[in-house]
Amino acid sequence: MGQVIAVANQKGGVGKTTTAVNLSASIAASEKSCLLIDCDPQGNATTGLGVNIAELESGLYDFILSPDTGGDVIMETEISCLHLMGATASLIGAEVEMFVLDEREYLLKKRLSSLRKKYDYILLDCPPSLNFLTINAMTASDWVLVTLQCEYYALEGLTELMKTISAVKKKLNPSLELGGIVFTMHDKRNNLSTQVVEEVREHFKDIAFNTIIPRNVRLSEAPSYGKPILLYDIKSKGAQKYLELATELFARGGNHD
């Protein structure tokens, strides 16, 4: 039975989608089957894997709101073990349509039950807000992976995110856990980056991953070419760090089976 992981942060520009795309690719590169689901109407994870949203006929919107939708919403990618369920323009209106439905918080969870048997890992790239799609993703997940930019204001947003995770766990998904915090955009020349890491490690102990994702030009360039960093420049520091993160994720996996 595959693990479902929500990659979340209500702030934008903190490396959330970069982590969702590149961690998924690194998991697949380790020959573990992985499905990346783009839950963000902006569709950055979709374009980050080389898919033109304007030409995408079906995706997560159809999967959630059209009961007859099957595997045709899932696409292969350039990495053999990595599949994608993309975000179409229709996803923007999904929240309005979901709001009037019964058990609306559980729509994604119900649909994912059959896919859990097909994949070792399912990663959900959440929107950069605490909206209905994010709640659905957390309700469907075993644990949440939080990306945290190594800047001061990121710490303020982390408190609100922890409250949301706690509320979802209490009211909707008792088995949900905070599975890990990933530090992103770390600049070792910046003392503040190091202070943020130290402060979070002090408060969250073993929850923070040892692997720290650095600021990396090649990592920033890769999305514009529609490729994960492993295909764009596998020798780059960014690529190597995401491979390390996947290895660390596997080591933690036993705690979340």
Side-chain angles (χ1 to χ4, degrees):
M1 188 70 75
Q3 295 184 43
V4 180
I5 302 171
V7 183
N9 195 314
Q10 79 273 27
K11 292 173 65 68
V14 296
K16 178 184 58 62
T17 297
T18 297
T19 295
V21 169
N22 291 301
L23 179 56
S24 297
S26 297
I27 289 171
S30 301
E31 298 186 342
K32 296 183 185 294
S33 58
C34 185
L35 172 64
L36 174 60
I37 301 180
D38 192 346
C39 301
D40 185 353
Q42 295 180 71
N44 291 335
T46 304
T47 57
L49 286 176
V51 177
N52 186 339
I53 294 178
E55 298 175 0
L56 189 61
E57 295 183 356
S58 60
L60 178 62
Y61 171 87
D62 307 274
F63 183 71
I64 294 177
L65 293 169
S66 300
D68 297 330
T69 301
D72 56 333
V73 298
I74 296 174
M75 298 172 286
E76 295 182 350
T77 70
E78 292 184 75
I79 299 177
S80 60
C81 290
L82 177 61
H83 289 171
L84 169 70
M85 186 186 297
T88 59
S90 302
L91 194 59
I92 295 173
E95 285 202 274
V96 176
E97 295 184 48
M98 291 164 68
F99 188 76
V100 299
L101 300 177
D102 294 333
E103 296 190 316
R104 51 189 177 269
E105 296 90 353
Y106 298 94
L107 295 172
L108 181 57
K109 182 174 185 175
K110 290 176 180 177
R111 296 308 311 276
L112 283 183
S113 59
S114 61
L115 293 180
R116 277 179 175 266
K117 303 172 185 176
K118 300 180 180 180
Y119 294 95
D120 295 315
Y121 290 89
I122 299 175
L123 268 64
L124 310 176
D125 183 33
C126 297
S129 58
L130 301 177
N131 61 16
F132 229 65
L133 288 167
T134 301
I135 297 301
N136 251 261
M138 289 187 182
T139 303
S141 296
D142 299 307
W143 51 291
V144 180
L145 187 154
V146 176
T147 56
L148 186 70
Q149 185 179 4
C150 294
E151 293 187 359
Y152 175 75
Y153 289 117
L155 294 175
E156 295 182 343
L158 184 61
T159 301
E160 293 305 310
L161 184 57
M162 293 302 109
K163 290 179 181 177
T164 300
I165 294 172
S166 178
V168 171
K169 180 180 176 68
K170 183 177 180 180
K171 299 178 180 179
L172 300 170
N173 184 4
S175 61
L176 183 67
E177 299 291 345
L178 173 59
I181 296 173
V182 179
F183 297 107
T184 62
M185 303 181 186
H186 182 267
D187 185 349
K188 62 183 180 181
R189 299 166 300 178
N190 187 331
N191 288 335
L192 181 58
S193 283
T194 302
Q195 289 173 12
V196 169
V197 171
E198 290 175 350
E199 187 169 339
V200 172
R201 286 202 194 285
E202 182 179 342
H203 283 86
F204 291 96
K205 309 298 180 185
D206 297 334
I207 294 176
F209 282 91
N210 292 321
T211 304
I212 297 176
I213 309 301
R215 285 193 179 277
N216 181 254
V217 173
R218 303 297 276 175
L219 199 55
S220 301
E221 292 173 347
S224 64
Y225 291 88
K227 293 182 181 293
I229 189 62
L230 294 186
L231 296 182
Y232 182 64
D233 186 355
I234 195 170
K235 294 182 179 179
S236 68
K237 193 160 187 178
Q240 295 304 308
K241 285 297 181 180
Y242 274 110
L243 287 169
E244 288 179 22
L245 182 62
T247 300
E248 194 173 351
L249 181 76
F250 300 149
R252 291 186 177 208
N255 297 326
H256 303 279
D257 288 342

Short mmCIF file of all heavy atoms in Angstrom, two decimals, residues 1-7 23-24 27 32-37 112-125 137-145 173 175-180 209 245-257:
data_model
loop_
_atom_site.label_atom_id
_atom_site.label_comp_id
_atom_site.label_asym_id
_atom_site.label_seq_id
_atom_site.Cartn_x
_atom_site.Cartn_y
_atom_site.Cartn_z
N MET A 1 0.86 -1.20 0.00
CA MET A 1 0.00 0.00 0.00
C MET A 1 0.89 1.24 0.00
O MET A 1 1.75 1.40 0.85
CB MET A 1 -0.89 0.01 1.23
CG MET A 1 -1.94 1.09 1.23
SD MET A 1 -3.25 0.84 0.03
CE MET A 1 -4.18 -0.45 0.85
N GLY A 2 0.70 2.10 -1.00
CA GLY A 2 1.56 3.27 -1.13
C GLY A 2 1.30 4.33 -0.08
O GLY A 2 0.22 4.41 0.50
N GLN A 3 2.32 5.14 0.15
CA GLN A 3 2.19 6.26 1.08
C GLN A 3 1.77 7.51 0.33
O GLN A 3 2.26 7.79 -0.77
CB GLN A 3 3.53 6.52 1.78
CG GLN A 3 3.98 5.37 2.67
CD GLN A 3 5.25 5.72 3.39
OE1 GLN A 3 5.42 6.83 3.89
NE2 GLN A 3 6.17 4.79 3.46
N VAL A 4 0.86 8.27 0.91
CA VAL A 4 0.41 9.53 0.31
C VAL A 4 0.98 10.68 1.15
O VAL A 4 0.78 10.73 2.36
CB VAL A 4 -1.13 9.61 0.27
CG1 VAL A 4 -1.56 10.93 -0.37
CG2 VAL A 4 -1.70 8.43 -0.51
N ILE A 5 1.68 11.57 0.48
CA ILE A 5 2.38 12.67 1.15
C ILE A 5 1.94 14.00 0.55
O ILE A 5 2.05 14.22 -0.66
CB ILE A 5 3.90 12.53 0.99
CG1 ILE A 5 4.38 11.19 1.56
CG2 ILE A 5 4.62 13.69 1.68
CD1 ILE A 5 5.84 10.88 1.25
N ALA A 6 1.43 14.90 1.39
CA ALA A 6 1.07 16.24 0.95
C ALA A 6 2.29 17.15 1.14
O ALA A 6 2.83 17.26 2.24
CB ALA A 6 -0.11 16.77 1.77
N VAL A 7 2.72 17.78 0.06
CA VAL A 7 3.81 18.75 0.13
C VAL A 7 3.16 20.12 0.26
O VAL A 7 2.47 20.58 -0.66
CB VAL A 7 4.71 18.69 -1.12
CG1 VAL A 7 5.88 19.66 -0.99
CG2 VAL A 7 5.22 17.26 -1.34
N LEU A 23 11.63 15.86 -5.76
CA LEU A 23 11.60 14.71 -4.86
C LEU A 23 10.89 13.54 -5.54
O LEU A 23 11.33 12.39 -5.44
CB LEU A 23 10.90 15.08 -3.55
CG LEU A 23 10.78 13.96 -2.51
CD1 LEU A 23 12.14 13.36 -2.15
CD2 LEU A 23 10.09 14.48 -1.24
N SER A 24 9.80 13.83 -6.24
CA SER A 24 9.10 12.78 -6.99
C SER A 24 10.04 12.13 -8.02
O SER A 24 10.07 10.90 -8.15
CB SER A 24 7.88 13.36 -7.72
OG SER A 24 6.93 13.86 -6.82
N ILE A 27 12.57 9.96 -6.23
CA ILE A 27 11.95 8.71 -5.78
C ILE A 27 11.87 7.73 -6.95
O ILE A 27 12.23 6.56 -6.83
CB ILE A 27 10.54 8.98 -5.21
CG1 ILE A 27 10.64 9.71 -3.86
CG2 ILE A 27 9.75 7.68 -5.05
CD1 ILE A 27 9.30 10.22 -3.34
N LYS A 32 11.33 3.32 -7.54
CA LYS A 32 10.09 3.17 -6.78
C LYS A 32 9.00 3.92 -7.56
O LYS A 32 9.23 5.04 -8.02
CB LYS A 32 10.24 3.75 -5.37
CG LYS A 32 11.27 2.99 -4.52
CD LYS A 32 11.33 3.55 -3.12
CE LYS A 32 12.42 2.87 -2.30
NZ LYS A 32 12.15 1.45 -2.06
N SER A 33 7.86 3.30 -7.71
CA SER A 33 6.80 3.93 -8.49
C SER A 33 6.24 5.14 -7.75
O SER A 33 5.97 5.08 -6.55
CB SER A 33 5.69 2.93 -8.79
OG SER A 33 5.16 2.39 -7.60
N CYS A 34 6.07 6.24 -8.47
CA CYS A 34 5.64 7.48 -7.84
C CYS A 34 4.65 8.21 -8.74
O CYS A 34 4.83 8.29 -9.96
CB CYS A 34 6.86 8.37 -7.58
SG CYS A 34 6.49 9.90 -6.68
N LEU A 35 3.59 8.71 -8.14
CA LEU A 35 2.61 9.54 -8.83
C LEU A 35 2.64 10.93 -8.21
O LEU A 35 2.44 11.07 -7.00
CB LEU A 35 1.21 8.94 -8.70
CG LEU A 35 0.05 9.81 -9.21
CD1 LEU A 35 0.15 10.04 -10.71
CD2 LEU A 35 -1.29 9.17 -8.85
N LEU A 36 2.87 11.94 -9.03
CA LEU A 36 2.81 13.33 -8.58
C LEU A 36 1.47 13.90 -9.02
O LEU A 36 1.12 13.86 -10.20
CB LEU A 36 3.96 14.15 -9.17
CG LEU A 36 3.92 15.66 -8.89
CD1 LEU A 36 3.98 15.94 -7.39
CD2 LEU A 36 5.06 16.36 -9.61
N ILE A 37 0.70 14.42 -8.06
CA ILE A 37 -0.60 15.02 -8.37
C ILE A 37 -0.50 16.53 -8.13
O ILE A 37 -0.17 16.97 -7.03
CB ILE A 37 -1.72 14.42 -7.50
CG1 ILE A 37 -1.82 12.91 -7.75
CG2 ILE A 37 -3.05 15.10 -7.80
CD1 ILE A 37 -2.90 12.22 -6.93
N LEU A 112 -8.47 8.35 -4.24
CA LEU A 112 -7.09 7.85 -4.19
C LEU A 112 -6.98 6.42 -3.67
O LEU A 112 -5.93 5.79 -3.83
CB LEU A 112 -6.23 8.77 -3.30
CG LEU A 112 -5.78 10.10 -3.90
CD1 LEU A 112 -4.89 10.83 -2.91
CD2 LEU A 112 -5.04 9.88 -5.22
N SER A 113 -8.02 5.92 -3.06
CA SER A 113 -7.93 4.60 -2.43
C SER A 113 -7.48 3.52 -3.41
O SER A 113 -6.68 2.65 -3.07
CB SER A 113 -9.27 4.22 -1.80
OG SER A 113 -10.30 4.21 -2.77
N SER A 114 -7.96 3.58 -4.64
CA SER A 114 -7.58 2.57 -5.63
C SER A 114 -6.14 2.77 -6.14
O SER A 114 -5.46 1.80 -6.48
CB SER A 114 -8.54 2.60 -6.82
OG SER A 114 -8.52 3.86 -7.45
N LEU A 115 -5.69 4.02 -6.17
CA LEU A 115 -4.34 4.30 -6.68
C LEU A 115 -3.24 3.93 -5.68
O LEU A 115 -2.09 3.71 -6.07
CB LEU A 115 -4.21 5.77 -7.06
CG LEU A 115 -5.05 6.24 -8.25
CD1 LEU A 115 -4.82 7.71 -8.52
CD2 LEU A 115 -4.73 5.42 -9.49
N ARG A 116 -3.57 3.88 -4.41
CA ARG A 116 -2.59 3.50 -3.39
C ARG A 116 -1.96 2.13 -3.68
O ARG A 116 -0.82 1.88 -3.33
CB ARG A 116 -3.24 3.46 -2.01
CG ARG A 116 -3.36 4.81 -1.30
CD ARG A 116 -4.03 4.62 0.03
NE ARG A 116 -4.08 5.83 0.82
CZ ARG A 116 -3.18 6.17 1.74
NH1 ARG A 116 -2.14 5.40 1.95
NH2 ARG A 116 -3.33 7.28 2.44
N LYS A 117 -2.73 1.27 -4.33
CA LYS A 117 -2.24 -0.08 -4.61
C LYS A 117 -1.28 -0.11 -5.79
O LYS A 117 -0.55 -1.08 -5.98
CB LYS A 117 -3.43 -1.01 -4.89
CG LYS A 117 -4.45 -1.07 -3.76
CD LYS A 117 -5.70 -1.84 -4.19
CE LYS A 117 -6.76 -1.80 -3.10
NZ LYS A 117 -8.02 -2.48 -3.53
N LYS A 118 -1.28 0.95 -6.57
CA LYS A 118 -0.49 0.97 -7.80
C LYS A 118 0.86 1.67 -7.65
O LYS A 118 1.74 1.50 -8.50
CB LYS A 118 -1.28 1.66 -8.91
CG LYS A 118 -2.61 0.96 -9.24
CD LYS A 118 -3.33 1.71 -10.34
CE LYS A 118 -4.66 1.03 -10.68
NZ LYS A 118 -5.40 1.75 -11.75
N TYR A 119 1.00 2.48 -6.60
CA TYR A 119 2.21 3.28 -6.45
C TYR A 119 2.84 3.10 -5.07
O TYR A 119 2.12 2.93 -4.09
CB TYR A 119 1.90 4.77 -6.68
CG TYR A 119 1.48 5.10 -8.09
CD1 TYR A 119 0.12 5.17 -8.41
CD2 TYR A 119 2.40 5.31 -9.09
CE1 TYR A 119 -0.29 5.45 -9.71
CE2 TYR A 119 2.01 5.60 -10.40
CZ TYR A 119 0.66 5.66 -10.70
OH TYR A 119 0.27 5.94 -11.98
N ASP A 120 4.16 3.21 -5.04
CA ASP A 120 4.85 3.18 -3.75
C ASP A 120 4.65 4.51 -3.02
O ASP A 120 4.50 4.55 -1.80
CB ASP A 120 6.36 2.94 -3.96
CG ASP A 120 6.64 1.56 -4.54
OD1 ASP A 120 6.03 0.59 -4.06
OD2 ASP A 120 7.46 1.48 -5.48
N TYR A 121 4.66 5.60 -3.80
CA TYR A 121 4.49 6.94 -3.22
C TYR A 121 3.56 7.76 -4.11
O TYR A 121 3.66 7.72 -5.34
CB TYR A 121 5.83 7.67 -3.10
CG TYR A 121 6.74 7.12 -2.05
CD1 TYR A 121 7.64 6.09 -2.35
CD2 TYR A 121 6.72 7.62 -0.74
CE1 TYR A 121 8.48 5.56 -1.37
CE2 TYR A 121 7.55 7.10 0.23
CZ TYR A 121 8.43 6.08 -0.08
OH TYR A 121 9.25 5.56 0.88
N ILE A 122 2.68 8.51 -3.47
CA ILE A 122 1.85 9.50 -4.16
C ILE A 122 2.10 10.83 -3.49
O ILE A 122 1.86 10.99 -2.29
CB ILE A 122 0.35 9.15 -4.08
CG1 ILE A 122 0.08 7.79 -4.76
CG2 ILE A 122 -0.49 10.24 -4.73
CD1 ILE A 122 -1.35 7.32 -4.62
N LEU A 123 2.63 11.80 -4.23
CA LEU A 123 2.91 13.13 -3.69
C LEU A 123 1.89 14.13 -4.21
O LEU A 123 1.58 14.15 -5.41
CB LEU A 123 4.32 13.58 -4.08
CG LEU A 123 5.44 13.24 -3.08
CD1 LEU A 123 5.60 11.74 -2.94
CD2 LEU A 123 6.76 13.87 -3.50
N LEU A 124 1.35 14.92 -3.30
CA LEU A 124 0.35 15.93 -3.64
C LEU A 124 0.98 17.31 -3.50
O LEU A 124 1.35 17.72 -2.40
CB LEU A 124 -0.86 15.81 -2.71
CG LEU A 124 -1.47 14.40 -2.56
CD1 LEU A 124 -2.60 14.44 -1.53
CD2 LEU A 124 -1.98 13.87 -3.88
N ASP A 125 1.11 18.02 -4.60
CA ASP A 125 1.64 19.38 -4.55
C ASP A 125 0.49 20.33 -4.26
O ASP A 125 -0.34 20.61 -5.12
CB ASP A 125 2.32 19.75 -5.88
CG ASP A 125 2.95 21.13 -5.83
OD1 ASP A 125 3.43 21.52 -4.74
OD2 ASP A 125 2.97 21.83 -6.87
N ALA A 137 -6.28 17.54 0.26
CA ALA A 137 -5.00 16.85 0.13
C ALA A 137 -4.53 16.32 1.49
O ALA A 137 -4.08 15.17 1.61
CB ALA A 137 -3.95 17.80 -0.45
N MET A 138 -4.65 17.14 2.52
CA MET A 138 -4.22 16.70 3.85
C MET A 138 -5.10 15.58 4.39
O MET A 138 -4.63 14.66 5.06
CB MET A 138 -4.21 17.89 4.82
CG MET A 138 -3.10 18.88 4.57
SD MET A 138 -3.04 20.15 5.88
CE MET A 138 -1.71 21.18 5.27
N THR A 139 -6.40 15.66 4.10
CA THR A 139 -7.32 14.62 4.55
C THR A 139 -7.01 13.29 3.87
O THR A 139 -7.23 12.22 4.44
CB THR A 139 -8.78 15.04 4.26
OG1 THR A 139 -9.04 16.29 4.91
CG2 THR A 139 -9.77 14.02 4.79
N ALA A 140 -6.47 13.36 2.66
CA ALA A 140 -6.16 12.15 1.89
C ALA A 140 -4.78 11.58 2.21
O ALA A 140 -4.46 10.48 1.78
CB ALA A 140 -6.25 12.46 0.40
N SER A 141 -3.98 12.31 2.97
CA SER A 141 -2.57 11.95 3.13
C SER A 141 -2.26 11.20 4.42
O SER A 141 -3.01 11.27 5.40
CB SER A 141 -1.71 13.23 3.09
OG SER A 141 -1.80 13.86 1.83
N ASP A 142 -1.14 10.50 4.38
CA ASP A 142 -0.62 9.86 5.58
C ASP A 142 0.20 10.86 6.39
O ASP A 142 0.18 10.85 7.61
CB ASP A 142 0.27 8.67 5.22
CG ASP A 142 -0.50 7.61 4.46
OD1 ASP A 142 -1.55 7.18 4.95
OD2 ASP A 142 -0.05 7.22 3.36
N TRP A 143 0.92 11.70 5.67
CA TRP A 143 1.68 12.72 6.36
C TRP A 143 1.96 13.93 5.49
O TRP A 143 1.78 13.88 4.28
CB TRP A 143 2.95 12.17 6.99
CG TRP A 143 3.89 11.34 6.16
CD1 TRP A 143 3.66 10.08 5.67
CD2 TRP A 143 5.22 11.67 5.78
NE1 TRP A 143 4.78 9.63 5.01
CE2 TRP A 143 5.75 10.58 5.07
CE3 TRP A 143 6.03 12.78 6.00
CZ2 TRP A 143 7.04 10.55 4.55
CZ3 TRP A 143 7.32 12.78 5.49
CH2 TRP A 143 7.81 11.67 4.78
N VAL A 144 2.35 14.99 6.13
CA VAL A 144 2.61 16.26 5.46
C VAL A 144 4.11 16.53 5.47
O VAL A 144 4.77 16.40 6.50
CB VAL A 144 1.88 17.43 6.17
CG1 VAL A 144 2.17 18.74 5.44
CG2 VAL A 144 0.39 17.18 6.23
N LEU A 145 4.62 16.90 4.32
CA LEU A 145 6.00 17.34 4.20
C LEU A 145 5.97 18.84 3.98
O LEU A 145 5.36 19.32 3.02
CB LEU A 145 6.68 16.62 3.04
CG LEU A 145 8.19 16.83 2.86
CD1 LEU A 145 8.79 15.62 2.14
CD2 LEU A 145 8.49 18.10 2.07
N ASN A 173 -8.76 13.73 9.77
CA ASN A 173 -7.83 12.65 9.44
C ASN A 173 -6.94 12.33 10.65
O ASN A 173 -5.83 12.83 10.75
CB ASN A 173 -6.97 13.06 8.23
CG ASN A 173 -6.03 11.96 7.78
OD1 ASN A 173 -6.05 10.84 8.30
ND2 ASN A 173 -5.20 12.27 6.80
N SER A 175 -5.09 10.00 11.43
CA SER A 175 -3.79 9.36 11.19
C SER A 175 -2.76 10.29 10.57
O SER A 175 -1.62 9.91 10.34
CB SER A 175 -3.98 8.13 10.30
OG SER A 175 -4.50 8.50 9.03
N LEU A 176 -3.16 11.53 10.28
CA LEU A 176 -2.24 12.48 9.66
C LEU A 176 -1.11 12.85 10.60
O LEU A 176 -1.31 13.12 11.78
CB LEU A 176 -3.00 13.76 9.26
CG LEU A 176 -2.19 14.83 8.52
CD1 LEU A 176 -1.77 14.34 7.14
CD2 LEU A 176 -3.01 16.12 8.40
N GLU A 177 0.11 12.86 10.06
CA GLU A 177 1.29 13.23 10.85
C GLU A 177 2.10 14.29 10.12
O GLU A 177 2.09 14.35 8.89
CB GLU A 177 2.18 12.00 11.10
CG GLU A 177 1.51 10.87 11.87
CD GLU A 177 1.22 11.22 13.32
OE1 GLU A 177 1.79 12.21 13.81
OE2 GLU A 177 0.42 10.51 13.96
N LEU A 178 2.79 15.10 10.89
CA LEU A 178 3.80 15.99 10.31
C LEU A 178 5.03 15.14 10.09
O LEU A 178 5.75 14.80 11.03
CB LEU A 178 4.10 17.16 11.26
CG LEU A 178 5.26 18.07 10.84
CD1 LEU A 178 5.00 18.69 9.47
CD2 LEU A 178 5.49 19.16 11.89
N GLY A 179 5.24 14.76 8.85
CA GLY A 179 6.29 13.78 8.56
C GLY A 179 7.67 14.37 8.40
O GLY A 179 8.68 13.66 8.53
N GLY A 180 7.77 15.65 8.09
CA GLY A 180 9.10 16.21 7.91
C GLY A 180 9.07 17.66 7.48
O GLY A 180 8.10 18.12 6.85
N PHE A 209 14.35 17.38 8.28
CA PHE A 209 15.27 16.52 7.53
C PHE A 209 16.70 17.02 7.68
O PHE A 209 16.94 18.22 7.83
CB PHE A 209 14.89 16.50 6.05
CG PHE A 209 13.72 15.63 5.72
CD1 PHE A 209 12.43 16.14 5.73
CD2 PHE A 209 13.89 14.29 5.40
CE1 PHE A 209 11.35 15.35 5.42
CE2 PHE A 209 12.81 13.48 5.09
CZ PHE A 209 11.53 14.01 5.10
N LEU A 245 17.68 13.66 -0.32
CA LEU A 245 16.40 13.80 0.39
C LEU A 245 15.53 12.56 0.18
O LEU A 245 14.88 12.08 1.12
CB LEU A 245 15.67 15.06 -0.11
CG LEU A 245 14.34 15.37 0.59
CD1 LEU A 245 14.54 15.65 2.07
CD2 LEU A 245 13.66 16.58 -0.09
N ALA A 246 15.51 12.04 -1.04
CA ALA A 246 14.73 10.82 -1.32
C ALA A 246 15.25 9.66 -0.49
O ALA A 246 14.46 8.89 0.08
CB ALA A 246 14.80 10.49 -2.81
N THR A 247 16.56 9.53 -0.39
CA THR A 247 17.15 8.46 0.42
C THR A 247 16.74 8.59 1.88
O THR A 247 16.41 7.61 2.55
CB THR A 247 18.69 8.48 0.30
OG1 THR A 247 19.06 8.29 -1.07
CG2 THR A 247 19.32 7.38 1.14
N GLU A 248 16.75 9.82 2.37
CA GLU A 248 16.35 10.07 3.76
C GLU A 248 14.86 9.79 3.95
O GLU A 248 14.44 9.26 4.99
CB GLU A 248 16.68 11.51 4.13
CG GLU A 248 16.62 11.78 5.62
CD GLU A 248 17.10 13.16 6.02
OE1 GLU A 248 17.67 13.90 5.17
OE2 GLU A 248 16.89 13.53 7.19
N LEU A 249 14.07 10.11 2.94
CA LEU A 249 12.64 9.83 2.98
C LEU A 249 12.38 8.32 3.09
O LEU A 249 11.55 7.87 3.88
CB LEU A 249 11.97 10.38 1.73
CG LEU A 249 10.46 10.18 1.62
CD1 LEU A 249 9.73 11.17 2.52
CD2 LEU A 249 9.99 10.36 0.18
N PHE A 250 13.11 7.54 2.32
CA PHE A 250 12.96 6.09 2.37
C PHE A 250 13.30 5.55 3.76
O PHE A 250 12.63 4.66 4.28
CB PHE A 250 13.85 5.40 1.34
CG PHE A 250 13.58 5.80 -0.08
CD1 PHE A 250 14.61 5.81 -1.02
CD2 PHE A 250 12.31 6.18 -0.49
CE1 PHE A 250 14.38 6.17 -2.33
CE2 PHE A 250 12.06 6.56 -1.81
CZ PHE A 250 13.10 6.55 -2.73
N ALA A 251 14.34 6.11 4.35
CA ALA A 251 14.76 5.66 5.69
C ALA A 251 13.70 5.96 6.73
O ALA A 251 13.53 5.21 7.69
CB ALA A 251 16.08 6.35 6.06
N ARG A 252 12.95 7.05 6.52
CA ARG A 252 11.89 7.41 7.46
C ARG A 252 10.60 6.65 7.18
O ARG A 252 9.70 6.62 8.02
CB ARG A 252 11.58 8.91 7.36
CG ARG A 252 12.67 9.82 7.87
CD ARG A 252 12.17 11.25 7.85
NE ARG A 252 13.19 12.15 8.40
CZ ARG A 252 12.90 13.30 9.00
NH1 ARG A 252 11.64 13.68 9.12
NH2 ARG A 252 13.85 14.06 9.47
N GLY A 253 10.51 6.07 6.00
CA GLY A 253 9.25 5.47 5.56
C GLY A 253 8.65 4.47 6.49
O GLY A 253 7.44 4.36 6.61
N GLY A 254 9.50 3.72 7.18
CA GLY A 254 9.00 2.70 8.09
C GLY A 254 8.15 3.27 9.21
O GLY A 254 7.33 2.58 9.81
N ASN A 255 8.32 4.55 9.50
CA ASN A 255 7.55 5.18 10.58
C ASN A 255 6.14 5.55 10.14
O ASN A 255 5.31 5.92 10.95
CB ASN A 255 8.26 6.47 11.05
CG ASN A 255 9.62 6.17 11.63
OD1 ASN A 255 9.82 5.15 12.26
ND2 ASN A 255 10.56 7.08 11.41
N HIS A 256 5.88 5.44 8.83
CA HIS A 256 4.59 5.93 8.32
C HIS A 256 3.83 4.87 7.55
O HIS A 256 2.87 5.18 6.88
CB HIS A 256 4.83 7.16 7.42
CG HIS A 256 5.56 8.23 8.13
ND1 HIS A 256 4.96 9.12 8.98
CD2 HIS A 256 6.86 8.58 8.14
CE1 HIS A 256 5.85 9.95 9.48
NE2 HIS A 256 7.02 9.65 8.97
N ASP A 257 4.25 3.63 7.62
CA ASP A 257 3.53 2.55 6.91
C ASP A 257 2.20 2.29 7.57
O ASP A 257 2.06 2.49 8.75
CB ASP A 257 4.37 1.27 6.91
CG ASP A 257 5.56 1.40 5.96
OD1 ASP A 257 5.51 2.29 5.11
OD2 ASP A 257 6.51 0.61 6.08
#
